[in-house]
Amino acid sequence: MRRVYADNNATTRVDDRVVEEMLPLFNATYGNPSSMHTFGAEAEKKLRQARVRVAEFITADPSEIVFTGCGTESDNTALFGTLEAYPDKKHIVTTKVEHPAVLNPCQLLAKKGYAVTFLSVDSEGMLDLDELRDSIRDDTAIVSIMYANNETGVIFPIEAIGQIARERGIVFHVDAVQAAAKIPLDVNKLNVDLLSISGHKIHAPKGVAALYVHRGTKLRPLLVGGHQEKGRRGGTESLPAIVGFGKACELAAEHLPEMDARVRAMRDKLESALLQSIPEAHVNGGKSPRVPNTLSVRFEYVEGESILLLLDRDGIAASSGSACSSGSLEPSHVLRAMGIPYTSVHGSIRLSLSRFNSDEEVDYILEKFPPIISKLREISPFVQTTHAPKQP
Ligand code: PLP
């Protein structure tokens, strides 16, 4: 059976060139980068090269890159590390649509007595910058806002938000985990102090990520241990993964034009063909700027989980809401924050493409998808009208 992977916002396949670059780190250059001997020096050289590659990818200085174990750790370090550095400041600004890697620490901090403003979004998933401006207080320690939403792909105006935070002298953290490799990232243009990216979303392995720390930004470590990462993250570096991450960053920069053209064209084709062939289908966040690979679409009168199961039977991997919260049938907090009715949230599917997808795969999805929706609507207790697929 044909298999089509369209769940690239959950994780991505590791590029073969990344694997190739990593392999010698397991059995040849396996020293500890902190060791004084030649094995250590060779490993340290590889670490330095990877740091340069990651820094170049986001137009940073290598000294501003801290390697971490995952995007969640980068986000947690940004939040807890900033609050530790500013013990008198007790207020955080974030949004209702953040990934759990930011949302859950903020909810925890709220329970511990911090004041947290969770900014709303409109029906297209967009923020109100006046609400953001008004929310900032004298005791605001950090503004933490994502670049691109993992569920809808909606892009927030980070440069403008950065301007507001900078004018008020407040640390600005951006979770760019879903923006990296999809749109250009230039930390200098964006006015950011802290920025998270994660390896496994950009064709590097799982277990490696980075936090960009703008020079001079006060930050306490989350992991307190050895002097690795200039004391900003204790623990022996996972060198093979870091080297793979460096290569993946280099490749991501090379492939950005392809993402913007070929991958965007595939997503747009999927979107228009699904809307054309299936009645009562709507794109979540469709009127907002979005990253080029993501399509979140809701189908009335059907359950997203049933669609996923039937797609999976045809070899197609997609996602309903955030992959990180699958296993629970909680409606997506992102789509709920956009005011989408509970029942429609349950009928939402996310398709997320990568440069490894082909036109033939898009055609295969388009062949299988409409009959699945028709079949489910035939047996749906919620259907109020006839839902035969439209004739092309
Ligand atoms: N932030 C966003 C926007 C994400 O989509 C994810 C993962 O899905 C994360 C953070 C967490 O990254 P990681 O899986 O590397 O911990």
Side-chain angles (χ1 to χ4, degrees):
M1 185 182 55
R2 188 161 195 168
R3 272 156 58 93
V4 176
Y5 187 73
D7 199 15
N8 287 279
N9 286 9
T11 198
T12 56
R13 122 173 214 185
V14 179
D15 193 298
D16 290 344
R17 291 165 290 179
V18 169
V19 176
E20 207 176 298
E21 192 107 354
M22 288 172 67
L23 287 177
L25 279 301
F26 290 101
N27 53 10
T29 315
Y30 53 83
N32 185 328
S34 300
S35 298
M36 296 294 289
H37 43 63
T38 306
F39 283 81
E42 286 166 0
E44 205 274 327
K45 189 171 166 204
K46 288 286 182 189
L47 180 62
R48 223 173 327 122
Q49 284 171 349
R51 202 181 299 284
V52 169
R53 279 171 161 175
V54 174
E56 276 173 0
F57 179 52
I58 58 172
T59 332
D61 188 85
S63 64
E64 297 173 312
I65 301 297
V66 177
F67 287 117
T68 66
C70 56
T72 302
E73 186 191 328
S74 296
D75 287 346
N76 273 247
T77 305
L79 289 167
F80 293 111
T82 301
L83 295 175
E84 280 264 317
Y86 294 92
D88 298 335
K89 299 201 168 184
K90 299 289 181 198
H91 178 234
I92 302 158
V93 177
T94 187
T95 79
K96 288 184 179 163
V97 296
E98 296 301 307
H99 186 272
V102 167
L103 212 50
N104 288 344
C106 285
Q107 274 155 2
L108 188 76
L109 286 158
K111 280 193 195 137
K112 290 191 167 178
Y114 281 87
V116 186
T117 302
F118 294 96
L119 299 169
S120 319
V121 293
D122 65 16
S123 59
E124 291 298 326
M126 198 36 79
L127 283 174
D128 175 350
L129 292 193
D130 288 330
E131 192 192 343
L132 166 73
R133 219 175 266 112
D134 294 344
S135 72
I136 294 177
R137 314 190 326 196
D138 289 342
D139 67 340
T140 304
I142 184 167
V143 173
S144 178
I145 292 182
M146 70 199 323
Y147 203 156
N149 189 275
N150 45 300
E151 295 193 30
T152 59
V154 169
I155 298 173
F156 283 154
I158 292 303
E159 199 175 328
I161 298 169
Q163 192 86 39
I164 296 170
R166 196 146 280 184
E167 276 162 17
R168 302 288 298 268
I170 294 162
V171 174
F172 180 34
H173 166 243
V174 173
D175 175 343
V177 167
Q178 292 291 350
K182 294 169 189 160
I183 53 175
L185 283 181
D186 179 338
V187 287
N188 299 309
K189 273 202 198 136
L190 293 175
N191 305 313
V192 302
D193 301 300
L194 303 165
L195 179 133
S196 309
I197 55 176
S198 177
H200 75 105
K201 310 286 189 187
I202 67 160
H203 307 292
K206 295 157 187 65
V208 63
L211 179 66
Y212 157 80
V213 184
H214 182 57
R215 194 174 303 140
T217 306
K218 283 210 287 179
L219 188 77
R220 292 281 172 81
L222 188 69
L223 295 192
V224 182
H227 57 268
Q228 293 91 351
E229 301 298 297
K230 294 211 192 96
R232 294 175 295 189
R233 198 267 191 184
T236 302
E237 297 90 349
S238 175
L239 197 57
I242 287 172
V243 167
F245 188 29
K247 181 67 182 174
C249 284
E250 191 183 84
L251 294 172
E254 277 170 27
H255 283 283
L256 264 182
E258 183 185 1
M259 182 54 91
D260 197 44
R262 190 178 71 82
V263 178
R264 183 187 294 279
M266 288 193 294
R267 189 275 310 271
D268 289 351
K269 180 176 174 185
L270 260 182
E271 180 171 319
S272 53
L274 286 179
L275 293 188
Q276 215 182 15
S277 59
I278 302 172
E280 296 194 63
H282 309 273
V283 177
N284 298 315
K287 294 199 178 85
S288 293
R290 284 175 298 153
V291 285
N293 80 316
T294 307
L295 172 61
S296 170
V297 59
R298 59 183 193 275
F299 304 96
E300 306 296 336
Y301 319 120
V302 286
E303 286 277 332
E305 275 66 31
S306 314
I307 306 172
L308 281 191
L309 282 177
L310 294 182
L311 284 172
D312 195 43
R313 280 218 312 231
D314 284 327
I316 300 165
S319 165
S320 66
S322 173
C324 309
S325 60
S326 66
S328 93
L329 283 180
E330 279 292 297
S332 146
H333 68 283
V334 175
L335 302 181
R336 290 296 292 137
M338 290 164 69
I340 294 168
Y342 190 88
T343 44
S344 315
V345 168
H346 274 299
S348 282
I349 289 291
R350 179 186 71 188
L351 294 158
S352 47
L353 305 176
S354 81
R355 58 185 159 84
F356 287 99
N357 289 114
S358 65
D359 277 332
E360 290 70 37
E361 289 180 335
V362 167
D363 291 341
Y364 180 72
I365 297 174
L366 288 173
E367 178 198 324
K368 297 292 175 187
F369 216 117
I372 287 176
I373 302 294
S374 307
K375 195 192 299 182
L376 289 171
R377 282 179 175 169
E378 271 165 29
I379 56 168
S380 167
F382 306 114
V383 175
Q384 289 152 13
T385 49
T386 308
H387 292 287
K390 287 183 201 164
Q391 295 306 313

